[in-house]
Amino acid sequence: MSIGILFTGGTIAMRVDPVSGAAAPSMSAADIVAEIPTLGQVADFEIEEFSRLPGPHVTPEQMWRLACRAAAWLDRPDIEGLVITHGTDTIEETAFLLDLVLTSDKPVVLVGAMRTVSDPSWDGPANLIAAVRVAATEGARGLGVLVVMDDHVFPAREVRKLHTESSGSFSTPEFGPLGVVDSGRVVLRRRTVARPQWQDPGADPGLRVQRLDTRVALIQAYTGMDDFLIRALIGHDTRGLAIVAFGRGNVPPAIVPVIADAVSSGMLVTVSSRSMAGRVEARYGYDGGGLQLKHAGAVLAGDLSASQARLLQMVALGLYADVASAAELIRHFADCD
Ligand code: ASP
């Protein structure tokens, strides 16, 4: 039995260019593994270089291709778990999407690095070794997709990048990590919420859906906002909109009518919070409050970040041609605990 390691890029595959002084992709999968000679002592592994992309270059289409490739790896009986290296800027999005669409109970662990091999404090080796340990742990089965950084084990649904540079930049702001890797021992102390239940009968083995509908935009509300940006989306090829609202799920009053218009035009609209923890609710009844947004037909997305709600919309709209069914799936998923 062995662990598959898929390399997709990110700082873990970068070096600092001596001329510009800035980090850029430069290491192959084989180069990275060659820098970590003790990796083979942790578990048998096989590697594949899937891509060499910085996190911000990753698109939902690439996430979907990665999901299809991951499903193929996980289908192999001789593979006990999968590790995927990824740019940390977007690791939480890819982890969340994989969690939504992969069916396997085998551990799937995303990992990256905050410092490059050129930096004295390159965290790639320790992070990759910890990720392989978690992927080879029986107790990590059935927990869904995980992110392992700085010896902490996080669930895809809750993990957030909180710091731009610190090696401990990842956290689950409300409920804490699932566990830790303590001197090489994987200690798991809580479970994740139930895995997604949907299943498209036409999906390929190992996947819950046949396709994503990636025509989903994301807009952040700001003080003094008018309806210009959201109005520009209506009537174009946009099937969904994920809004980043304030606090409990409230927005400036001027955008409530355009949100209602977007919903009436057939767009799926979700509301998340720019706060890092907690759920959005119809708690406030003033102009622009969550209650008005709910009455306007927007879906309050619970504790999902807007980036997560956007990906969930892509899954839901890929599954259902009608927006009402897609909205119902999101409501159900956002409320589960
Ligand atoms: N800082 C990011 C990383 O750690 C850059 C990226 O996402 O490519 O990988």
Side-chain angles (χ1 to χ4, degrees):
M1 296 289 274
S2 62
I3 303 295
I5 312 181
L6 275 167
F7 291 80
T8 74
T11 298
I12 197 167
M14 295 189 195
R15 283 194 174 87
V16 174
D17 179 88
V19 179
S20 70
S26 79
M27 295 169 85
S28 67
D31 292 339
I32 298 169
V33 167
E35 294 280 345
I36 315 174
T38 53
L39 194 58
Q41 293 164 18
V42 178
D44 290 335
F45 64 88
E46 289 178 42
I47 64 172
E48 175 180 324
E49 186 162 302
F50 179 82
S51 60
R52 258 192 235 185
L53 293 176
H57 292 202
V58 173
T59 62
E61 288 78 9
Q62 265 142 350
M63 292 179 204
W64 173 249
R65 281 195 289 279
L66 179 62
C68 297
R69 195 64 202 119
W73 273 88
L74 292 163
D75 199 37
R76 281 178 44 184
D78 59 324
I79 290 295
E80 60 185 314
L82 193 62
V83 169
I84 300 174
T85 69
H86 200 286
T88 60
D89 286 358
T90 54
I91 197 171
E92 60 193 70
E93 288 198 35
T94 297
F96 184 68
L97 183 75
L98 295 179
D99 198 39
L100 294 179
V101 303
L102 292 175
T103 61
S104 176
D105 265 358
K106 294 178 184 176
V108 176
V109 182
L110 273 78
V111 64
M114 296 301 297
R115 314 269 163 72
T116 74
V117 67
S118 317
D119 301 312
S121 52
W122 188 35
D123 49 343
N127 286 347
L128 191 54
I129 287 170
V132 170
R133 283 194 200 283
V134 174
T137 297
E138 183 61 28
R141 285 180 81 97
L143 294 180
V145 174
L146 306 171
V147 172
V148 170
M149 290 289 290
D150 196 30
D151 281 337
H152 288 79
V153 184
F154 303 107
R157 178 168 176 148
E158 298 169 40
V159 68
R160 301 278 191 279
K161 184 176 183 180
L162 296 186
H163 194 283
T164 56
E165 182 66 13
S166 162
S167 54
S169 44
F170 284 81
S171 187
T172 41
E174 194 162 17
F175 301 114
L178 293 180
V180 295
V181 183
D182 179 356
S183 301
R185 189 164 71 96
V186 178
V187 182
L188 296 168
R189 281 294 160 83
R190 71 176 173 97
R191 309 289 299 172
T192 47
V193 293
R195 308 282 313 277
Q197 292 305 312
W198 52 81
Q199 182 61 56
D200 183 336
D204 284 342
L207 293 166
R208 294 190 188 285
V209 294
Q210 288 188 56
R211 55 184 281 270
L212 304 180
D213 189 332
T214 58
R215 295 170 295 171
V216 185
L218 184 154
I219 289 184
Q220 173 150 4
Y222 51 86
T223 53
M225 187 175 188
D226 63 23
D227 67 355
F228 176 76
L229 287 176
I230 298 176
R231 181 86 50 209
L233 297 175
I234 300 176
H236 285 82
D237 194 26
T238 305
R239 293 211 59 218
L241 169 63
I243 294 178
V244 186
F246 304 119
R248 199 62 154 151
N250 312 308
V251 298
I255 69 168
V256 176
V258 75
I259 289 173
D261 290 349
V263 172
S264 309
S265 77
M267 209 184 282
L268 176 56
V269 179
T270 56
V271 176
S272 300
S273 178
R274 76 176 186 182
S275 300
M276 277 288 165
R279 284 141 294 284
V280 293
E281 295 277 0
R283 170 149 161 72
Y284 290 93
Y286 58 74
D287 265 2
L291 185 62
Q292 272 194 352
L293 297 178
K294 188 175 175 182
H295 288 159
V299 180
L300 303 184
D303 62 359
L304 299 176
S305 69
S307 307
Q308 290 177 322
R310 175 173 174 256
L311 293 167
L312 182 57
Q313 285 200 38
M314 292 180 194
V315 168
L317 291 167
L319 259 173
Y320 297 113
D322 69 301
V323 172
S325 301
E328 197 41 46
L329 180 147
I330 294 172
R331 260 185 219 105
H332 183 74
F333 185 84
D335 285 346
C336 76
D337 46 32

